[in-house]
């Protein structure tokens, strides 16, 4: 299971690099995995400081954390 979460986390990173900020529901749809698995991947990436998940009104938006130079 850890391997699958890591693969999905990589898919999420690549998708966000190409598309920027995206609603969570759209991300789940575009990644093509279960919502639970995508949420685990986002949690992994969030814990490592790679993504930011924020709430706007009734939806969540996911984006890459900007790299400090």
């Amino acid at each position: 299971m850890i391997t699958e979460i890591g693969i999905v986390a990589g898919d999420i990173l690549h998708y966000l690099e190409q598309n920027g900020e995206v609603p969570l529901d759209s991300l789940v749809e575009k990644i093509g995995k279960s919502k639970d698995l995508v949420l685990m991947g986002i949690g992994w990436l969030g814990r490592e400081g790679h993504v930011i998940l924020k709430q706007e009104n009734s939806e969540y938006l996911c984006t890459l954390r900007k790299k400090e130079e």
Side-chain angles (χ1 to χ4, degrees):
M1 184 75 167
I2 294 295
T3 301
E4 190 172 2
I5 295 168
I7 291 169
V8 170
D11 292 344
I12 292 167
L13 275 178
H14 293 296
Y15 187 82
L16 293 175
E17 286 171 349
Q18 297 296 315
N19 298 282
E21 187 173 75
V22 63
L24 180 59
D25 290 337
S26 295
L27 184 61
V28 170
E29 181 182 322
K30 298 298 182 180
I31 297 297
K33 299 292 183 180
S34 72
K35 188 171 187 173
D36 289 342
L37 196 54
V38 172
L39 289 173
M40 286 183 244
I42 290 171
W44 178 325
L45 294 169
R47 179 68 175 103
E48 291 184 345
H50 296 298
V51 298
I52 298 169
L53 191 63
K54 64 182 178 181
Q55 185 175 8
E56 281 191 12
N57 300 316
S58 63
E59 98 180 326
Y60 289 94
L61 301 173
C62 188
T63 188
L64 289 177
R65 182 178 300 276
K66 291 184 172 84
K67 296 179 183 176
E68 295 182 27
E69 298 185 24

